[in-house]
Amino acid sequence: MGNLCTCVSPKTPAKTKKPTKRLQGNPQTAPNSSNTWTRIRSTRKDNHDELIREQALAAAIMFRQHQQQNGSASGLFPFDRSVSLRYPNGSGSKKTQLPRSSSSRARSLTDPLLQPHQLVNQDIKLDDLETNHFVLVHGGGFGAWCWYKTIALLEEGGFKVTAVDLTGSGIHSSDTNSIISLSQYVKPLIDFLDKLADGDKTILVGHDFGGACISYAMELFPHKVSKAIFVAAAMLTNGQSTLDMFSQKAGSSDLMQQAQLFVYANGNNHPPTAINLNKSLLRDLLFNQSPGKDVALASVSIRPIPFAPVLEKLSLSELKYGTVRRFYIQTPEDNAVPITLQESMINSSPPEKVFHLKGADHSPFFSKPQALHKLLVEISKIPST
């Protein structure tokens, strides 16, 4: 959502890279040269990366088809645990089991491949928690689909998880250009919380623009929110809009301006109705530390961002919003919401505790899923003071 603040700034054309010229060499005249091996290794890597991209795109298409067949326009998607690559209790066929990862990206030492029981303390008792129900709220342009790794890890740890598709996002059927208010955009989340039984509480997790959305919900249902976790998210103050916050860094990123493609569904003489993102810049802007297969999934799943909700100023009171415990997870390698802007939001409205997710880009559910999961569980276990 850091990409929403420069609508009035002139766009700078994206710089195109000049083709790199290959050095021509004769292997017969240089028997000790590594050029031949370099070319072979490069060819193998290119072929492998191309195979990965094809597999990821095929998986993404199947995922979207599954959503359309089983989802509904309500905005809530019932994730089937069978889509997980893990087969708990020995279930599942080994013949059809997919590889754990087809990414060519070297796994970071800060996010090792761990099983849920290694991430969560063995002595954790979910019944002792105030709530074990996580509600995941995506950012602008994303959908419930972006949480698929987090959902699998949390469910395997025994937690209850609900991932919400906001209006015009994910598999929600509404046209993004028709969204004219924040209340309309957040309606699927509000409807879900409204239907919760009295006494039932949740842990709201908001990413990106989802931070403003969970803040809106916290003001309406403070008694149904145990904790609120902002993940590289817009954490606003009373009377502030998302555009106000992100305007603090207007003009500071050429990449941000290049990525914005404004949609004027009501005509050029009217304000924009939505914002598209340049697909060629998605990796650098949102996924600069994420696996290629997840970038491929995002490239076929991201939808336009409604413009009107980001202009709307929030009304947040100490008696309601202020009573909910807030936590912030920083993403230091973030190119969409830079760490300096995250620090500014934290200083303007200090949460109870701040966590630093080392090596995470703007999409830690892709780039650091294990580490993100560990922090979510850790926050769920923090007792009331």
Side-chain angles (χ1 to χ4, degrees):
M1 279 306 306
N3 48 14
L4 300 178
C5 63
T6 58
C7 62
V8 296
S9 302
K11 290 184 167 31
T12 303
K15 296 180 180 180
T16 58
K17 296 183 178 179
K18 295 182 179 180
T20 302
K21 296 183 179 180
R22 293 181 179 271
L23 295 177
Q24 301 298 326
N26 187 348
Q28 294 181 352
T29 61
N32 295 325
S33 172
S34 62
N35 288 348
T36 301
W37 166 243
T38 300
R39 286 195 297 271
I40 293 174
R41 183 173 55 183
S42 176
T43 301
R44 289 177 179 173
K45 184 179 185 302
D46 291 344
N47 291 339
H48 180 61
D49 288 347
E50 182 63 27
L51 177 60
I52 290 173
R53 284 191 290 270
E54 292 177 359
Q55 291 174 339
L57 287 172
I61 293 171
M62 292 177 64
F63 181 78
R64 291 296 300 277
Q65 290 175 341
H66 177 76
Q67 285 182 317
Q68 293 170 356
Q69 293 171 2
N70 298 284
S72 68
S74 65
L76 296 180
F77 179 67
F79 281 86
D80 186 350
R81 288 186 63 187
S82 65
V83 303
S84 173
L85 299 185
R86 301 168 181 79
Y87 293 91
N89 302 323
S91 62
S93 171
K94 291 184 178 180
K95 293 182 180 179
T96 59
Q97 183 172 349
L98 295 174
R100 294 191 65 88
S101 175
S102 60
S103 173
S104 61
R105 180 179 66 99
R107 182 170 296 277
S108 170
L109 294 179
T110 62
D111 191 44
L113 183 60
L114 300 175
Q115 294 296 327
H117 70 271
Q118 295 174 288
L119 287 164
V120 184
N121 290 342
Q122 291 291 328
D123 59 352
I124 183 174
K125 296 181 180 179
L126 297 181
D127 292 339
D128 294 339
L129 301 177
E130 184 178 7
T131 180
N132 67 347
H133 187 181
F134 282 91
V135 177
L136 310 178
V137 183
H138 62 81
F142 290 83
W145 51 267
C146 73
W147 298 105
Y148 78 95
K149 294 179 181 180
T150 302
I151 291 168
L153 288 169
L154 286 172
E155 286 189 341
E156 288 176 3
F159 290 89
K160 182 178 180 181
V161 186
T162 301
V164 179
D165 271 324
L166 300 177
T167 306
S169 305
I171 62 171
H172 197 283
S173 60
S174 293
D175 179 7
T176 305
N177 293 295
S178 67
I179 300 173
I180 59 175
S181 67
L182 182 60
S183 61
Q184 182 184 1
Y185 181 61
V186 186
K187 189 175 186 300
L189 173 62
I190 301 306
D191 289 347
F192 172 77
L193 292 174
D194 186 44
K195 293 176 183 177
L196 283 180
D198 291 338
D200 286 355
K201 289 198 172 186
T202 63
I203 299 175
L204 293 184
V205 182
H207 170 248
D208 187 82
F209 184 39
C213 298
I214 66 173
S215 296
Y216 183 92
M218 291 156 62
E219 179 68 19
L220 294 179
F221 300 102
H223 57 289
K224 293 186 177 182
V225 184
S226 171
K227 298 181 178 78
I229 305 175
F230 295 75
V231 183
M235 188 169 64
L236 309 179
T237 58
N238 181 46
Q240 191 175 41
S241 71
T242 304
L243 185 63
D244 292 337
M245 172 56 69
F246 289 106
S247 292
Q248 294 180 13
K249 60 181 286 293
S252 65
S253 172
D254 289 339
L255 178 63
M256 203 70 70
Q257 296 183 32
Q258 295 169 20
Q260 297 171 352
L261 302 172
F262 290 90
V263 180
Y264 295 84
N266 297 327
N268 293 335
N269 295 328
H270 297 274
T273 52
I275 302 173
N276 270 318
L277 297 178
N278 188 328
K279 294 296 179 68
S280 67
L281 298 177
L282 282 181
R283 177 185 289 276
D284 290 338
L285 183 65
L286 305 175
F287 313 112
N288 51 296
Q289 300 294 321
S290 299
K293 61 182 180 180
D294 292 322
V295 180
L297 170 63
S299 68
V300 298
S301 303
I302 279 184
R303 294 178 62 178
I305 305 165
F307 191 67
V310 307
L311 300 176
E312 192 167 324
K313 298 182 183 297
L314 291 183
S315 178
L316 305 174
S317 67
E318 285 296 325
L319 293 177
K320 294 182 179 180
Y321 170 84
T323 62
V324 180
R325 302 173 68 189
R326 289 179 293 119
F327 302 84
Y328 202 98
I329 297 179
Q330 293 181 306
T331 49
E333 304 301 323
D334 198 323
N335 288 336
V337 184
I339 191 66
T340 52
L341 182 56
Q342 296 178 38
E343 291 283 0
S344 175
M345 290 187 286
I346 291 168
N347 293 333
S348 297
S349 181
E352 182 174 323
K353 191 171 183 179
V354 177
F355 297 84
H356 195 78
L357 196 53
K358 183 179 179 180
D361 59 18
H362 186 61
S363 306
F365 35 73
F366 289 157
S367 60
K368 297 292 176 184
Q370 308 278 346
L372 174 61
H373 168 74
K374 184 176 181 179
L375 289 183
L376 294 179
V377 173
E378 180 179 342
I379 294 172
S380 75
K381 294 161 55 180
I382 297 178
S384 300
T385 56

